[in-house]
Amino acid sequence: SSSSSSSSSPSPEHGPSVLRYCFESIALGSLAVVGAQQGIMKGLHPLVSSALGVTVALGGVIRDLMCDRDLTLGAASGCQSYGLASFSGAAVYVGLRELHVWNCAGSTAKLVNGGIPIGLRILLGFSTVFGVRWAAWMLKPDGFLLGMDESAEVNHARLEKAVEIFKKE
């Protein structure tokens, strides 16, 4: 008889898959840059172009819904860092693109002869997404990217403390 423990997907008690998280981060970085580039190609404002890089985060939510998975919006393995990571990466890409246009527009002080290469802009935007996702996975800085359950516990404790203070007054 074969054991069901040999399946490739980790069970919930073993935590999220690092490999899946890395692949999601690669896809997210790519799509954040592509989304931002679409805004630039349409002539949209840089802030709007950066926001278009975030719209790809909705894809993870739709995937989870279509696959009848639990929504993991607050889990380190889920979408918690999608919005922050994709906006950061898209904003870096758009910012470097704006700097490139300014640099090539005939300004007197050129930063880089010939502008900032597109490959470097793409790489830095993608790397920003991957860096934010790595921080979300590894560091969970000061509860900023806690899972939903962890956040709920912290919020409940804060609420109880506030109620106690209110009752004393």
Side-chain angles (χ1 to χ4, degrees):
S1 100
S2 65
S3 166
S4 64
S5 64
S6 64
S7 73
S8 61
S9 63
S11 61
E13 60 268 12
H14 291 106
S17 166
V18 175
L19 185 61
R20 177 178 163 211
Y21 193 79
C22 287
F23 282 133
E24 283 181 351
S25 299
I26 290 168
L28 185 66
S30 302
L31 292 173
V33 170
V34 168
Q37 180 61 32
Q38 290 302 310
I40 290 169
M41 289 175 53
K42 300 285 185 198
L44 299 175
H45 189 275
L47 188 58
V48 175
S49 296
S50 297
L52 284 175
V54 178
T55 59
V56 299
L58 185 60
V61 174
I62 293 172
R63 175 206 59 214
D64 289 346
L65 289 173
M66 291 180 68
C67 294
D68 197 29
R69 293 182 181 167
D70 290 334
L71 287 179
T72 54
L73 292 173
S77 65
C79 305
Q80 179 77 12
S81 61
Y82 276 17
L84 178 62
S86 57
F87 182 77
S88 298
V92 165
Y93 176 78
V94 170
L96 289 172
R97 168 51 166 67
E98 290 298 308
L99 191 59
H100 169 78
V101 169
W102 172 82
N103 187 61
C104 293
S107 66
T108 57
K110 296 222 181 249
L111 299 174
V112 179
N113 192 18
I116 302 167
I118 190 166
L120 180 61
R121 289 181 269 154
I122 291 170
L123 178 66
L124 291 175
F126 173 81
S127 297
T128 301
V129 171
F130 208 79
V132 170
R133 293 277 288 172
W134 175 84
W137 181 268
M138 298 298 292
L139 305 176
K140 293 186 181 181
D142 299 326
F144 184 62
L145 296 171
L146 290 176
M148 285 181 86
D149 292 334
E150 295 165 312
S151 293
E153 290 172 10
V154 169
N155 288 338
H156 184 69
R158 287 179 184 159
L159 183 60
E160 285 180 346
K161 189 175 182 178
V163 168
E164 287 177 22
I165 291 171
F166 182 72
K167 285 181 179 179
K168 288 179 183 179
E169 292 179 2

